[in-house]
């Protein structure tokens, strides 16, 4: 952990400086404060609260305003489970179960997984109806910090629920973007019939007080805070520190270190024969580029002669990785700062879409 303190400090300092400045446009803004009050007012009126967290940071993405709410009144939803370490997610679910908190891991883009989650919710609703037979309409409320996927989850539940109930009519949609804090108002979506179940999608809210450097870093690298606040290069350095100190890169040992028979075509794309599609070296999302990134990172870490647990050595390794990734991403010859920024943006995109492995940054407490 000591080797990451330098990166934590850089990100935390940047986040705190902006958060504490007057007129901050993203940390507990007047809009967030109003949303927090609106959510608090609705809590006594809903039947169940779905607290959506990021499965990669189950603790750091906690919606702190719910700490006083009884666990029987809420379900912790670990969204983006497809991006987290699967074994770690299972451990977190067991941890919440021991804490007497209902929890469910979900990938909001997997329809089968959404069906399972909807079945789970309907079973919980049936328990609620036993206590109150008069309840003909059940209301659930999604709450959470920015970019944990509340709107995507609401849309998927709405779509799958409507299909399951064989209902017709125009589907409603909550706004979904990769940018945090885009939901501006509370919207209602129907997700089931018999009984009717509605889910309220609410605006994202960060805690009023700035938290410690490590939590800030985890929120920033997973996209809960806008990249421009902490800086893309700082965030990419943090991700590389995670990768270099972990075990995920070892899975890439058997990847081919070179692309045999690669040839450039007239338009600057790559061709490997008549039957294969053109490959564009500037598109970092293409499989052959992703594999080259994986292999390059594996070679960099496995051949490194220093100690990755030492802060200075780790910084030297990360510097070298930035250097070689410029070539892998086929970046033009420009200033080092400009190219490092481009490397960082591409690297963060691959990490956040799961192309560079699955990482859970919060570890289950020992006690």
């Amino acid at each position: 952990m000591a080797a990451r303190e330098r990166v934590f400090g850089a990100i935390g300092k940047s986040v705190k400086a902006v958060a504490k400045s007057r007129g901050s446009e993203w940390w507990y803004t007047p809009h967030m404060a109003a949303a927090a009050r609106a959510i608090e007012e609705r809590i006594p009126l809903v039947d169940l609260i779905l607290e959506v967290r990021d499965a990669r940071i189950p603790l750091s993405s906690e919606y702190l305003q719910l700490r006083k709410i009884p666990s029987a009144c809420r379900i912790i939803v670990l969204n983006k489970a497809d991006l987290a370490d699967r074994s770690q997610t299972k451990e977190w679910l067991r941890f919440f179960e021991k804490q007497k908190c209902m929890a469910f891991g979900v990938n909001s883009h997997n329809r089968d997984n959404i069906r399972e989650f909807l079945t789970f919710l309907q079973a919980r609703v049936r328990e609620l109806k036993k206590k109150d037979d008069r309840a003909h309409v059940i209301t659930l409320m999604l709450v959470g910090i920015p970019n944990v996927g509340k709107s995507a989850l609401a849309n998927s539940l709405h779509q799958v629920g409507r299909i399951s109930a064989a209902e017709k009519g125009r589907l409603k949609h909550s706004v979904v973007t990769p940018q945090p804090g885009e939901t501006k108002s509370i919207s209602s979506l129907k997700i089931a019939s018999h009984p009717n179940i509605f889910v309220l999608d609410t605006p994202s809210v960060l805690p009023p007080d700035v938290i410690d450097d490590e939590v800030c870093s985890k929120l920033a690298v997973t996209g809960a805070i806008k990249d421009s606040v902490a800086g893309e290069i700082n965030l990419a350095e943090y991700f590389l520190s995670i990768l270099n100190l972990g075990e995920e890169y070892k899975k890439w040992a058997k990847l081919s270190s070179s692309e045999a028979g690669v040839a450039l075509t007239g338009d600057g794309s790559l061709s490997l024969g008549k039957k294969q599609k053109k490959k564009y070296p500037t598109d970092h999302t293409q499989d052959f580029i992703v594999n080259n990134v994986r292999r390059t990172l594996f070679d960099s870490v496995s051949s490194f002669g220093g100690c990755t647990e030492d802060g200075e050595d780790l910084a030297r390794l990360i510097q070298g990785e930035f250097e070689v990734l410029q070539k892998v991403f086929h970046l033009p010859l420009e200033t080092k700062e400009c190219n490092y920024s481009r490397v960082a943006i591409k690297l963060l995109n691959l990490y956040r879409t799961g192309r560079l492995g699955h990482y859970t940054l919060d570890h289950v407490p020992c006690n």
Side-chain angles (χ1 to χ4, degrees), residues 52-298:
V52 185
R53 301 189 189 183
D54 189 322
R56 296 168 294 180
I57 47 172
L59 201 58
S60 300
S61 58
E62 178 186 4
Y63 188 84
L64 298 177
Q65 290 88 329
L66 290 183
R67 282 192 171 179
K68 296 180 181 179
I69 303 300
S71 58
C73 300
R74 63 189 172 105
I75 297 172
I76 296 173
V77 184
L78 298 184
N79 196 20
K80 303 188 179 184
D82 54 310
L83 303 179
D85 181 289
R86 185 175 298 180
S87 62
Q88 287 284 306
T89 299
K90 290 179 179 179
E91 284 190 33
W92 272 106
L93 292 174
R94 286 194 292 268
F95 169 79
F96 288 127
E97 184 179 354
K98 290 179 181 177
Q99 300 294 314
K100 308 299 181 184
C101 293
M102 286 184 291
F104 198 97
V106 68
N107 170 9
S108 58
H109 301 292
N110 184 304
R111 183 164 292 187
D112 290 337
N113 195 196
I114 290 296
R115 287 196 189 96
E116 292 175 13
F117 183 45
L118 189 56
T119 300
F120 171 80
L121 290 177
Q122 288 172 315
R124 177 61 183 146
V125 165
R126 283 193 290 271
E127 293 177 14
L128 292 174
K129 284 184 67 63
K130 288 179 182 178
K131 299 177 183 178
D132 185 4
D133 292 334
R134 298 169 298 173
H136 298 292
V137 177
I138 300 294
T139 305
L140 316 179
M141 184 165 66
L142 292 169
V143 299
I145 67 168
N147 212 29
V148 290
K150 296 189 306 298
S151 295
L153 180 60
N155 288 337
S156 295
L157 286 170
H158 177 52
Q159 184 177 31
V160 171
R162 290 278 298 256
I163 292 172
S164 299
E167 289 192 0
K168 296 180 180 180
R170 187 175 180 178
L171 287 169
K172 296 170 68 178
H173 293 282
S174 290
V175 177
V176 179
T177 78
Q179 294 299 320
E182 290 298 313
T183 300
K184 302 299 183 184
S185 60
I186 297 177
S187 59
S188 174
L189 300 173
K190 188 176 182 180
I191 65 172
S193 301
H194 312 297
N196 292 324
I197 305 176
F198 289 83
V199 64
L200 301 181
D201 183 22
T202 65
S204 303
V205 178
L206 287 165
D209 300 317
V210 182
I211 34 197
D212 65 54
D213 291 348
E214 186 174 350
V215 174
C216 282
S217 299
K218 292 175 181 178
L219 292 176
V221 80
T222 52
I225 299 171
K226 289 184 178 180
D227 291 347
S228 58
V229 173
E232 287 88 351
I233 293 177
N234 283 335
L235 296 178
E237 287 180 347
Y238 176 38
F239 164 66
L240 287 174
S241 73
I242 295 168
L243 181 142
N244 294 333
L245 292 168
E247 301 287 326
E248 191 77 6
Y249 75 90
K250 295 179 181 179
K251 298 177 182 178
W252 306 331
K254 296 182 180 179
L255 289 175
S256 172
S257 59
S258 62
E259 294 285 344
V262 174
L264 281 172
T265 63
D267 60 359
S269 62
L270 294 171
S271 177
L272 296 182
K274 295 181 180 179
K275 293 184 179 180
Q276 292 182 293
K277 295 180 180 180
K278 290 182 179 179
K279 296 187 174 184
Y280 298 91
T282 55
D283 182 0
H284 68 281
T285 64
Q286 290 201 325
D287 289 344
F288 83 104
I289 292 291
V290 176
N291 280 335
N292 282 343
V293 171
R294 292 169 177 166
R295 180 66 194 189
T296 298
L297 290 174
F298 171 81

Side-chain angles (χ1 to χ4, degrees), residues 22-42:
R22 288 189 175 185
S24 171
E25 296 181 356
W26 59 272
W27 192 284
Y28 207 68
T29 60
H31 170 74
M32 280 191 184
R37 289 193 296 270
I39 291 169
E40 189 173 358
E41 290 170 359
R42 281 170 173 77

